[in-house]
Amino acid sequence: MYLFIVNTMSGNGKGMKVWKRIESMLQKRQVHYLVEFSASPTHTAELVRQTAKKHKIKVLAVVGGDGTVQSMIHSVIGRNIPLGIIPAGSGNDLARGLKIPLNPKEALHYLLTGGTGKIDIIQIGNQYCMTVVGIGIDAKVAQTVNRSRYKKWFNRLKLGHLAYVLSFIQVLTHYRPVKATIKVDGKEWTFPKTWLIAVANFPNYGGGMIICPGACYFDGEFHICIVDGLSRWELLRIFPAVYRGKHIYRSGVTLLKGKTIEVISDSPMPAHGDGEIMGETPMKIDILEKGLSVICHD
């Protein structure tokens, strides 16, 4: 049986609209499914746990965004239940990374016809995420986006990524870079004016920004991007290049690779994973190789 978890709040109501589009398709195809509706990450995780006790779940299908998927990792990790995604969020970076179509009808076809594969996931203590852990200004941007009123208007116009752009410009005016030390598999680097540290399992985040073009979710290591030593104006100038992954060739950008990452800083730097705030530095980040089953196509 397919279990569909629909986040009714995802994408400012987009989750419910997407569900209404695919529900008739499921009935037409005579797919055996159960649907549960949720409005919060805590409720979502509880629904999965309770349903898994009562039913044999073939696939856990999420109708929502990256944050909705993140909230369910705890519930499926260690279980033999593959995760499928019908994207209905603002950024949908996880769907992009897995090459899941953003169109609901095409995403459902992908879900029903795909195979099962194992992917790496990110672990921070007892928390998990899938795409990128962003530390510094990008975490502040994610926090600002999630609290903003304009996010829902951009979502309605199908321009959710522009909420990140506007928030970046807002945050840039007052955010201060700090001295940070990063240890990668025991080797240490120090950066005196650190704007951001992105620890990537997937290439993209923030609604399509290609922060680490070489990142791969099944190679057993992180790609890390550090932006340091730039003025506000210089950072603003290279920002558009992130959408093409071309920022990596600019001065002030350092790329590293590794499995275990530790970050400490002179003052706490906020951190997010999959767009959701996950604490602040000091922080240790590990890779859990092949930690999650997902529906995918070769």
Side-chain angles (χ1 to χ4, degrees):
M1 181 186 68
Y2 288 82
L3 171 61
F4 284 84
I5 298 289
V6 180
N7 183 347
T8 58
M9 301 301 291
S10 183
N12 298 110
K14 185 179 177 182
M16 183 59 75
K17 292 177 182 177
V18 169
W19 169 248
K20 288 179 179 178
R21 289 187 62 184
I22 67 171
E23 184 178 21
S24 60
M25 300 176 206
L26 288 166
Q27 293 168 352
K28 183 183 260 188
R29 291 179 181 230
Q30 297 184 321
V31 176
H32 184 210
Y33 74 91
L34 179 68
V35 60
E36 298 283 359
F37 300 94
S38 174
S40 73
T42 302
H43 186 211
T44 298
E46 183 60 27
L47 284 174
V48 174
R49 283 192 292 268
Q50 292 300 322
T51 307
K53 291 179 181 178
K54 300 175 184 177
H55 302 276
K56 184 174 177 56
I57 301 172
K58 178 182 178 182
V59 174
L60 173 59
V62 182
V63 182
D66 297 333
T68 310
V69 176
Q70 185 203 57
S71 71
M72 282 194 256
I73 298 176
H74 258 295
S75 303
V76 296
I77 198 168
R79 298 176 185 264
N80 191 28
I81 303 175
L83 189 67
I85 302 169
I86 306 293
S90 302
N92 298 314
D93 289 294
L94 183 56
R96 285 188 177 91
L98 291 171
K99 296 181 172 54
I100 297 171
L102 299 184
N103 175 277
K105 182 178 180 180
E106 294 174 5
L108 180 61
H109 179 75
Y110 183 105
L111 175 73
L112 298 177
T113 61
T116 302
K118 295 271 192 178
I119 68 170
D120 303 333
I121 58 175
I122 304 168
Q123 182 173 6
I124 304 173
N126 62 354
Q127 300 182 92
Y128 301 93
C129 62
M130 297 178 71
T131 58
V132 178
V133 173
I135 301 170
I137 190 172
D138 52 344
K140 192 65 179 176
V141 169
Q143 188 177 56
T144 302
V145 168
N146 291 340
R147 293 175 176 175
S148 70
R149 293 182 177 180
Y150 50 75
K151 179 181 178 182
K152 67 178 180 180
W153 297 108
F154 282 122
N155 285 339
R156 288 177 182 175
L157 295 170
K158 298 182 179 181
L159 296 171
H161 67 283
L162 291 182
Y164 293 91
V165 176
L166 181 55
S167 293
F168 173 77
I169 294 170
Q170 285 183 320
V171 172
L172 183 61
T173 61
H174 58 80
Y175 187 87
R176 292 177 178 273
V178 302
K179 182 180 179 180
T181 296
I182 179 169
K183 294 181 181 179
V184 181
D185 297 338
K187 191 174 180 179
E188 187 175 299
W189 287 264
T190 298
F191 299 91
K193 288 181 62 178
T194 309
W195 286 100
L196 71 88
I197 299 169
V199 180
N201 188 39
F202 279 66
N204 52 294
Y205 76 154
M209 290 184 280
I210 308 173
I211 190 66
C212 289
C216 178
Y217 50 80
F218 53 79
D219 65 356
E221 67 178 0
F222 295 122
H223 285 230
I224 307 143
C225 176
I226 303 102
V227 179
D228 166 80
L230 302 179
S231 68
R232 282 181 173 79
W233 172 241
E234 289 170 329
L235 186 60
L236 184 61
R237 284 184 62 191
I238 73 167
F239 177 69
V242 179
Y243 284 93
R244 295 174 287 116
K246 300 299 184 183
H247 63 291
I248 63 174
Y249 304 111
R250 307 292 182 89
S251 62
V253 177
T254 301
L255 300 179
L256 303 171
K257 294 181 186 180
K259 295 176 179 291
T260 299
I261 318 300
E262 295 179 69
V263 181
I264 59 176
S265 53
D266 281 3
S267 58
M269 300 171 73
H272 76 92
D274 299 339
E276 303 297 320
I277 297 301
M278 299 187 75
E280 58 186 23
T281 57
M283 178 170 285
K284 184 173 181 286
I285 306 166
D286 294 296
I287 194 161
L288 188 55
E289 296 186 44
K290 302 187 186 308
L292 195 67
S293 294
V294 296
I295 298 298
C296 59
H297 288 238
D298 294 334

